[in-house]
Amino acid sequence: MAARIYQIQKNALQSGKALTRKWVLEHVPTEAKKPDPLTGWAGSGDTEQQVKLTFPSEEAARAYADRRGIAYTVLPTAPKTLKIQAYADNFR
């Protein structure tokens, strides 16, 4: 049983920074999804991949994983890059 710990990134359609300070612990799928023969929906027997736990900090997520004996990897947060341009640049 392995998990990923990462910080939620801002959505491209989101202007504010709401919910971007939270950290998520998400289990890595252990079994591939396969289509159901009757409905055609994708599914698997692995129920842990349906669970996403949120934490206020990275330390809290690590402590939870250590208490439960879950092997984890922490994904680094991508650096925020701003493309600063003036409105007049649209008309060059």
Side-chain angles (χ1 to χ4, degrees):
M1 175 167 49
R4 290 180 278 221
I5 297 175
Y6 60 92
Q7 191 172 21
I8 297 175
Q9 294 291 314
K10 187 174 82 100
N11 187 342
L13 301 175
Q14 182 179 358
S15 61
K17 295 182 180 178
L19 304 177
T20 58
R21 291 183 176 88
K22 293 189 178 191
W23 287 80
V24 175
L25 185 138
E26 179 179 57
H27 291 278
V28 176
T30 58
E31 178 179 316
K33 290 187 177 183
K34 54 187 179 257
D36 183 82
L38 183 61
T39 62
W41 294 355
S44 71
D46 182 22
T47 57
E48 288 182 348
Q49 67 183 353
Q50 299 173 5
V51 178
K52 280 187 181 181
L53 301 173
T54 58
F55 296 93
S57 67
E58 179 186 357
E59 291 78 23
R62 284 179 183 238
Y64 176 82
D66 289 336
R67 267 195 324 268
R68 300 288 179 171
I70 301 171
Y72 61 88
T73 57
V74 178
L75 302 176
T77 305
K80 297 177 177 105
T81 58
L82 295 174
K83 182 180 176 186
I84 299 174
Q85 67 182 38
Y87 180 69
D89 293 340
N90 293 333
F91 303 104
R92 285 188 182 173

